[in-house]
Amino acid sequence: MSDVKPFVLDFDLVSGFCTSGKVKPTQRRVSDMVAQFANETAARAMVEGGDPLLYEFYGLDLPEDDSGVLQFGTTILYPGKVGEEYFMTKGHFHTILDTSEIYYGLSGHGMMLMETPEGQVDWKEIGPGEALYVPGRWAHRSINTGTEPLVMFFVYRGDAGHDYGTIEEKGYRKLVVERDGKPAVIDNPKWKV
């Protein structure tokens, strides 16, 4: 049984920022994900040129061992590309693999790239006012295919956990790149069986 008491936070519905004292952003820069991009040479050059911020997220400091708690927050994924590949989040499975997650688009446009351990792959576009359901067993990665920040609100079961290691080791089977001025989903040449 959780000791969490009722509370209110002030997430901005456009920017995703939270100025409530309890919520601190976690930031990821290109230097945190060089090996995740297909063009590591372009990623290293970006690091040397200033190491731009890819994304940040505001999450709660709630118990992570309680299935009765809901974790929630916002992800702010900035626009840009490394080579021809759009800025993206690290992506993860949940440690409790069968755990689902919900994303709600607040502003900007992008995609969610998803795959199962068995090799099923799917992707969905997401924008303002659209709710995206990611079922259990599906790794998921947000990708900003627009020209402004992609901001999403997320909710998942408190004890779900995050498995980033599997994705860091193997990558995703697919990449989202710009081709002829539009997003295209292609095979990832670095994906490892």
Side-chain angles (χ1 to χ4, degrees):
M1 184 168 180
S2 173
D3 291 333
V4 177
K5 304 289 185 233
F7 61 90
V8 173
L9 298 175
D10 65 345
F11 288 100
D12 183 280
L13 290 180
V14 175
S15 72
F17 296 128
C18 177
T19 58
S20 295
K22 318 175 183 188
V23 182
K24 304 290 184 220
T26 299
Q27 297 185 331
R28 302 255 194 269
R29 297 188 172 276
V30 174
S31 59
D32 297 313
M33 292 180 48
V34 168
Q36 298 294 308
F37 287 99
N39 188 337
E40 288 187 42
T41 303
R44 284 191 191 93
M46 290 184 82
V47 171
E48 291 172 14
D51 198 14
L53 181 62
L54 293 171
Y55 68 101
E56 54 191 319
F57 56 93
Y58 289 84
L60 302 177
D61 186 19
L62 293 175
E64 295 183 1
D65 59 351
D66 188 337
S67 64
V69 169
L70 291 176
Q71 296 282 358
F72 66 89
T74 51
T75 298
I76 303 144
L77 176 55
Y78 295 98
K81 292 190 294 290
V82 173
E84 63 180 0
E85 192 173 2
Y86 292 100
F87 279 10
M88 61 189 178
T89 61
K90 269 187 163 183
H92 61 273
F93 284 100
H94 287 289
T95 306
I96 299 177
L97 194 57
D98 289 331
T99 306
S100 303
E101 189 163 355
I102 295 172
Y103 289 84
Y104 184 77
L106 299 175
S107 61
H109 290 87
M111 297 173 71
M112 187 72 70
L113 181 62
M114 300 166 281
E115 70 177 55
T116 66
E118 296 78 25
Q120 287 181 277
V121 176
D122 200 352
W123 55 91
K124 301 290 183 210
E125 293 186 20
I126 187 166
E130 295 178 320
L132 172 67
Y133 181 78
V134 180
R137 300 190 62 74
W138 288 83
H140 40 290
R141 163 179 280 164
S142 306
I143 300 160
N144 187 336
T145 58
T147 58
E148 60 184 323
L150 171 61
V151 181
M152 295 180 294
F153 185 83
F154 59 82
V155 180
Y156 59 90
R157 196 173 99 185
D159 63 346
H162 293 86
D163 170 11
Y164 294 105
T166 300
I167 299 304
E168 287 173 347
E169 180 183 321
K170 295 178 74 167
Y172 274 79
R173 289 172 168 83
K174 302 288 184 181
L175 303 176
V176 181
V177 299
E178 184 179 72
R179 294 279 165 87
D180 300 322
K182 324 182 269 206
V185 179
I186 64 169
D187 289 337
N188 181 356
K190 292 174 56 177
W191 186 77
K192 299 173 188 160
V193 178

